[in-house]
Amino acid sequence: MARNKSQSLGAALVLFFSVALVIVVTWFSPSLSATSTNMLFRLRGAFSAPTDVVIVAIDDQSLQRIGQWPWPRSVMASALDKITEARPRGVGLDVIYAEPSSTDEDRRLAAAIARNGRVVLPAQLYESDLKADSAVRATAWLRPLPEFANAASRLGHAHVLPEVDGMAQSIQLSKCDDRASRLWAFGLEVVRTAEQIPAEDVEELPGLLRIGPHRIPVRDEASGSTISGVAIIRPNEMMINYAGPAGSFRSFSIADVIDGKVPGAAFTDKIVLIGAVAESMGDTRVAPFMHYIADAGAGGREMPGIEIHANIINSLRNRLSFRKPPEWAAFLAALAVILLSTLTIRGFDGWRQILILGLILLSIVFGSLFAFSRFLIIPPLPAMLTGLVAVIPLLLNRSLSASRELDLKLAALVSSQKGFLPADNPVGADYINNRLALGLPQSLAWKLRAVDDLTTRLLTRMSFIDRILTSMDEGVLVTDLDGRIVFVNREATRIFGCGENELVGANFSDFLIESGALDPFQLRKAIKGMADGRSAQFEFEIQGAEQRFYSLLLSALTPEAQVSPLDNNVIGVVALVADITKRVELDRMKTETLQLVSHELRTPLTSIRGLSDVLIKFPVTEDESNEMLRTIRSESVRLSEMINRYLDLTRLESGAQPLHLTMVSCQELIAGCIRHLSIFAAERKIGLSSQVTPPVPILQADAQLLTQAVNNLLSNAIKYSPPESEIVVAAALDHGNVMLSVRDRGFGIPEDARERIFEKFYRLERDTTSSSVGAGLGLPLVKEIVERHGGQVTVESVPATGSTFTIHLPLRQQAISMAMR
């Protein structure tokens, strides 16, 4: 009980620690969340960027051909005019022209912006001191020159701030300075310009920003800005769904655009973004795909700001922005993982425990990836993984408890097996108890040594006992106090014709009662008496392929030798089942012999004695004397035939007469039997014929015994057939079996007697009143001969029409080959 309380307290502490760790990860470690999001980006992989967003790049090639930055503003005006000719849907010029240049240059650029009519220019927040000696700092918008701002369609802020891990994962779609001058994001304004969405069609809803037909999930919690003096009214933070690493969008060098090398169709009805991609210009950010290698040279590059704006535009227009569940949802998901992992550790052991924990881990990873890719949800992966990892101490705690419990069980096992272990055994009860006194679980090597030593001795003793039980000719069953079988030996399974799995666990008394072996009242009474230490003995029979007889001895099972007969410390019942079929058969043979001597032998002997007394004591005529002598001879023949048949049958049943197998031709066997009984048949005016269907069957059998069997069937047919009838002896092959049949046209056999005609000394009522000589041993002898050859004998009969006795014998392989020649 104390150990269970200790384990429960340990589990509760581990759960508390797990929940606390999840809270720390969820609320105080945002870098883990950012890192997991980057990992999900890379696991998901890149997808095809839209073709209606085109980048005109200020790249290294352009810097080499046009010159170092900044360029004359007429260069940008020339590029804008080329793009304007193609009639794009919108243009985002990601360059802040806040400082004046020459008047002509500024005028030319402003005119180019105005001619396009759909150019969006960026603005940027900057900090400045209100006073030179003041620590108070103010923020203001760094806007383009008024002529550029007035010529542009809209202004948008170009701020994309990195997360705690340096990754640019989100953007605030709205920002304002300390004078509450608010600007929407540069990419959002490009979309509004391209799709002609008016200002009144922008609506801020809880957790959602509606811009025309677009519904953008955002985080709208007000928070402090990283820039002092700036209060964000509503950040409208949107997670950016990056299409891939740098270079994913279609791009043209601005130098090629100016030189007319890019066809105008490349910009027609498309959103065109103009910005720096050259690394020397420094307008780059770390993006999630920085270390993603889609092809050679794609990894290790920061993403230019203009491409980040392209990904923002793609996320806005195609509804690809991510949704991030609230922190309480992340906590609940982690708590569910903790509970599921805890139940797995508490409810399973071994490989099942490891398998289920592995499945939980795979479900977290692949489920998060599926939610990220398919439903655009950023799952709380760090919190769930933390919940899974935090439960590991619970697994360790259970392992330590199990190890300690194993030590205690080893000690109990050694104590219970004192009689089996030698006195000088190093792993004794005192040795184990001394080690356990330290309180800590013992080492694995110590456990293995103790278990190995105990196992060796126990297995030796068990093997010895098992050999004894297996070698016994009697069946042994052991039951518990409830009567359920807990042990059976091999002989018991053979006796009852059941597997060990069927016997073990079954109720012993119900099993015997259902099989019809014993009387239910007597058996239950005997088993109930086992509680008083009494034993009981029964005899029963089991019907199967052959009838078997058994004796059942029930004895009480006690854990150890009882000091006093009054001790009723009974833990079960031992049942000993012995095969007594031979003894029963011997008793039956004695009974049959007594019946033979008392009845069948007495009758002819009485007749012989009576007639011989008449011949001796009284004068008789010659005719009467001859008649008496013939009767004496007939009775002596009957007596001799009866004794010979009984002796033949007894020798066969006891196995004293072995089979002398030879190759026997069925045609020759039938011909010999007909010759032998032809005179007997002629005396009764009965015809004999044979019918052998080719090919001629050849048997491997005992010729003398098989001839005796056919002779018995044929002589019976002659005895019980009317005159002027015919008997047919036939032989044929039938699917690998030989069929020898004797068909008569006699009186037939009643249906209720067909099962008994093969019993010893059984004769039909008409036979006992007829003059036919017989003792009821012929058909049992035929049956025994046929079964010794592995066959069977059957009878088909119609009263007043005739009977057909058929011997079915299996062919040996060599006999089949000879028969087919």
Side-chain angles (χ1 to χ4, degrees):
M1 183 65 70
R3 184 165 64 250
N4 292 335
K5 290 183 178 179
S6 176
Q7 292 177 358
S8 301
L9 180 60
L13 291 176
V14 171
L15 287 176
F16 176 79
F17 167 76
S18 303
V19 173
L21 187 59
V22 168
I23 294 175
V24 170
V25 169
T26 304
W27 277 284
F28 301 104
S29 299
S31 60
L32 292 178
S33 178
T35 302
S36 67
T37 304
N38 296 332
M39 181 191 72
L40 291 173
F41 268 114
R42 289 190 285 270
L43 289 176
R44 185 206 67 185
F47 57 81
S48 299
T51 59
D52 58 351
V53 178
V54 180
I55 294 175
V56 175
I58 304 174
D59 54 5
D60 292 326
Q61 176 187 351
S62 302
L63 294 176
Q64 290 176 0
R65 290 166 58 182
I66 299 175
Q68 293 184 352
W69 187 266
W71 293 336
R73 293 175 182 178
S74 58
V75 174
M76 186 62 69
S78 176
L80 271 176
D81 288 337
K82 293 286 186 181
I83 295 171
T84 302
E85 292 174 2
R87 302 181 65 83
R89 298 186 65 182
V91 177
L93 178 56
D94 189 23
V95 180
I96 300 178
Y97 290 105
E99 300 85 9
S101 180
S102 66
T103 304
D104 183 58
E105 290 288 331
D106 291 345
R107 186 173 58 252
R108 291 182 61 182
L109 179 57
I113 293 173
R115 280 192 297 273
N116 185 281
R118 294 191 173 188
V119 176
V120 177
L121 295 179
Q124 188 171 355
L125 283 172
Y126 72 96
E127 296 181 347
S128 63
D129 295 335
L130 291 178
K131 297 180 180 179
D133 58 349
S134 174
V136 179
R137 303 178 66 84
T139 59
W141 286 112
L142 178 63
R143 300 172 182 266
L145 294 174
E147 55 265 44
F148 299 146
N150 294 332
S153 173
R154 289 184 175 88
L155 295 181
H157 78 80
H159 281 278
V160 179
L161 297 177
E163 299 288 340
V164 292
D165 61 345
M167 292 283 179
Q169 291 185 350
S170 63
I171 182 173
Q172 293 178 354
L173 295 178
S174 62
K175 280 183 176 291
C176 61
D177 60 10
D178 56 357
R179 297 180 181 179
S181 176
R182 188 181 190 186
L183 289 180
W184 292 102
F186 177 75
L188 182 120
E189 294 291 7
V190 171
V191 172
R192 286 183 58 202
T193 300
E195 299 183 8
Q196 297 297 304
I197 300 175
E200 60 269 14
D201 209 4
V202 177
E203 183 180 9
E204 295 179 274
L205 301 172
L208 187 70
L209 179 65
R210 186 183 67 82
I211 303 177
H214 305 293
R215 302 292 188 272
I216 306 165
V218 295
R219 298 182 63 187
D220 54 10
E221 296 89 349
S223 62
S225 172
T226 56
I227 303 174
S228 62
V230 176
I232 300 175
I233 300 175
R234 171 168 158 152
N236 289 314
E237 184 179 7
M238 181 193 78
M239 301 297 295
I240 306 173
N241 193 344
Y242 286 92
S248 297
F249 287 83
R250 190 178 184 187
S251 177
F252 299 100
S253 174
I254 193 171
D256 291 339
V257 174
I258 295 172
D259 294 342
K261 295 181 181 180
V262 180
F267 308 120
T268 302
D269 201 31
K270 293 182 174 59
I271 293 176
V272 181
L273 299 177
I274 305 172
V277 299
E279 295 183 4
S280 60
M281 298 185 69
D283 186 19
T284 58
R285 289 287 187 272
V286 179
F289 283 101
M290 178 177 178
H291 301 293
Y292 174 81
I293 302 179
D295 50 54
R301 293 172 54 192
E302 295 184 359
M303 182 170 288
I306 194 65
E307 288 202 41
I308 294 177
H309 290 304
N311 280 285
I312 293 171
I313 292 171
N314 184 41
S315 300
L316 289 169
R317 297 185 67 210
N318 296 308
R319 299 181 181 180
L320 296 177
S321 57
F322 289 104
R323 290 173 294 167
K324 195 169 186 179
E327 293 177 344
W328 62 264
F331 176 75
L332 290 182
L335 186 61
V337 171
I338 291 174
L339 293 177
L340 185 59
S341 303
T342 302
L343 292 176
T344 300
I345 294 174
R346 302 289 293 180
F348 297 92
D349 289 307
W351 65 268
R352 294 181 179 86
Q353 187 182 81
I354 297 174
L355 176 63
I356 297 177
L357 289 176
L359 291 176
I360 294 174
L361 175 61
L362 292 177
S363 300
I364 292 173
V365 175
F366 288 100
S368 299
L369 181 60
F370 182 76
F372 182 84
S373 305
R374 185 66 180 272
F375 299 105
L376 302 178
I377 296 175
I378 297 180
L381 187 58
M384 290 190 292
L385 291 177
T386 301
L388 179 63
V389 173
V391 180
I392 298 300
L394 183 62
L395 179 62
L396 180 61
N397 177 61
R398 190 180 182 194
S399 299
L400 292 175
S401 300
S403 179
R404 173 69 178 175
E405 188 173 352
L406 179 59
D407 293 340
L408 296 175
K409 290 185 181 297
L410 281 174
L413 182 61
V414 170
S415 177
S416 66
Q417 299 297 327
K418 289 180 180 179
F420 291 149
L421 302 175
D424 58 348
N425 181 53
V427 184
D430 295 336
Y431 171 70
I432 289 182
N433 291 332
N434 291 336
R435 296 295 301 270
L436 293 178
L438 299 176
L440 295 175
Q442 301 303 316
S443 66
L444 180 61
W446 182 87
K447 289 182 176 66
L448 291 176
R449 190 174 77 250
V451 170
D452 184 64
D453 195 74
L454 285 169
T455 303
T456 300
R457 284 159 173 76
L458 289 175
L459 287 179
T460 302
R461 181 61 62 94
M462 291 173 62
S463 176
F464 176 71
I465 297 174
D466 184 67
R467 284 197 300 270
I468 295 175
L469 294 173
T470 304
S471 302
M472 291 178 63
D473 291 333
E474 292 81 12
V476 179
L477 301 94
V478 181
T479 74
D480 58 16
L481 288 177
D482 296 327
R484 290 189 302 268
I485 300 174
V486 297
F487 171 80
V488 292
N489 70 342
R490 185 171 58 189
E491 183 63 19
T493 61
R494 187 196 64 80
I495 290 174
F496 291 105
C498 301
E500 183 177 349
N501 293 336
E502 298 179 55
L503 288 173
V504 174
N507 188 279
F508 179 63
S509 58
D510 292 344
F511 178 79
L512 289 179
I513 292 171
E514 289 174 4
S515 64
L518 291 172
D519 177 73
F521 176 75
Q522 292 183 354
L523 180 61
R524 290 194 175 101
K525 181 180 179 182
I527 293 177
K528 186 177 181 180
M530 294 296 105
D532 299 329
R534 296 194 299 267
S535 61
Q537 188 167 3
F538 302 93
E539 291 186 3
F540 63 94
E541 61 180 291
I542 296 179
Q543 297 288 344
E546 58 181 13
Q547 191 178 31
R548 308 295 297 181
F549 297 88
Y550 299 92
S551 67
L552 173 65
L553 177 62
L554 300 178
S555 303
L557 176 65
T558 57
E560 56 187 9
Q562 296 185 170
V563 178
S564 170
L566 298 178
D567 295 336
N568 295 327
N569 191 16
V570 177
I571 61 174
V573 176
V574 178
L576 187 65
V577 184
D579 191 339
I580 59 172
T581 303
K582 290 185 178 180
R583 193 193 75 188
V584 173
E585 288 292 330
L586 182 60
D587 292 342
R588 185 173 58 83
M589 289 176 61
K590 291 179 180 178
T591 303
E592 290 174 353
T593 303
L594 181 61
Q595 179 184 0
L596 175 67
V597 172
S598 63
H599 182 268
E600 300 297 337
L601 297 183
R602 181 182 297 174
T603 301
L605 286 175
T606 301
S607 179
I608 293 172
R609 180 178 178 182
L611 292 175
S612 61
D613 286 343
V614 171
L615 290 174
I616 293 173
K617 296 179 179 180
F618 303 99
V620 294
T621 63
E622 183 177 353
D623 293 338
E624 291 175 342
S625 176
N626 291 334
E627 180 64 26
M628 291 181 182
L629 290 174
R630 280 194 295 270
T631 302
I632 291 173
R633 183 180 181 280
S634 174
E635 292 296 326
S636 64
V637 169
R638 176 185 175 188
L639 182 61
S640 176
E641 181 181 355
M642 187 186 310
I643 293 174
N644 289 334
R645 286 193 176 182
Y646 181 76
L647 293 176
D648 291 341
L649 181 58
T650 303
R651 282 196 297 269
L652 284 173
E653 288 179 337
S654 63
Q657 182 172 347
L659 297 180
H660 301 285
L661 300 178
T662 60
M663 304 309 297
V664 179
S665 171
C666 292
Q667 186 172 9
E668 295 177 1
L669 183 144
I670 292 173
C673 292
I674 291 176
R675 283 195 305 270
H676 178 69
L677 295 172
S678 59
I679 298 176
F680 180 47
E683 291 177 352
R684 301 182 65 85
K685 297 180 182 181
I686 293 175
L688 301 180
S689 64
S690 64
Q691 182 180 345
V692 180
T693 303
V696 178
I698 296 179
L699 281 167
Q700 190 175 19
D702 189 313
Q704 179 182 352
L705 291 178
L706 192 58
T707 300
Q708 186 177 2
V710 176
N711 277 337
N712 281 342
L713 293 178
L714 186 54
S715 63
N716 282 347
I718 295 172
K719 288 179 185 178
Y720 303 111
S721 293
E724 307 300 334
S725 62
E726 184 178 8
I727 299 173
V728 179
V729 185
L733 283 173
D734 180 37
H735 299 91
N737 290 328
V738 174
M739 296 192 304
L740 297 173
S741 61
V742 177
R743 184 173 65 251
D744 62 46
R745 295 291 183 267
F747 306 115
I749 302 171
E751 185 175 357
D752 57 350
R754 292 174 195 169
E755 293 294 330
R756 300 196 59 194
I757 57 176
F758 293 101
E759 296 179 5
K760 294 178 185 177
F761 305 111
Y762 178 79
R763 298 181 66 191
L764 296 175
E765 292 184 3
R766 68 161 186 267
D767 298 339
T768 58
T769 59
S770 68
S771 60
S772 299
V773 177
L777 293 173
L779 289 179
L781 180 60
V782 171
K783 180 175 180 291
E784 187 66 30
I785 291 173
V786 173
E787 290 180 350
R788 284 292 305 276
H789 282 80
Q792 62 175 347
V793 58
T794 61
V795 60
E796 297 177 1
S797 182
V798 178
T801 300
S803 304
T804 301
F805 286 84
T806 304
I807 296 175
H808 304 266
L809 294 175
L811 276 176
R812 304 297 197 276
Q813 188 63 37
Q814 62 270 31
I816 294 175
S817 61
M818 294 183 65
M820 298 304 293
R821 293 178 182 176

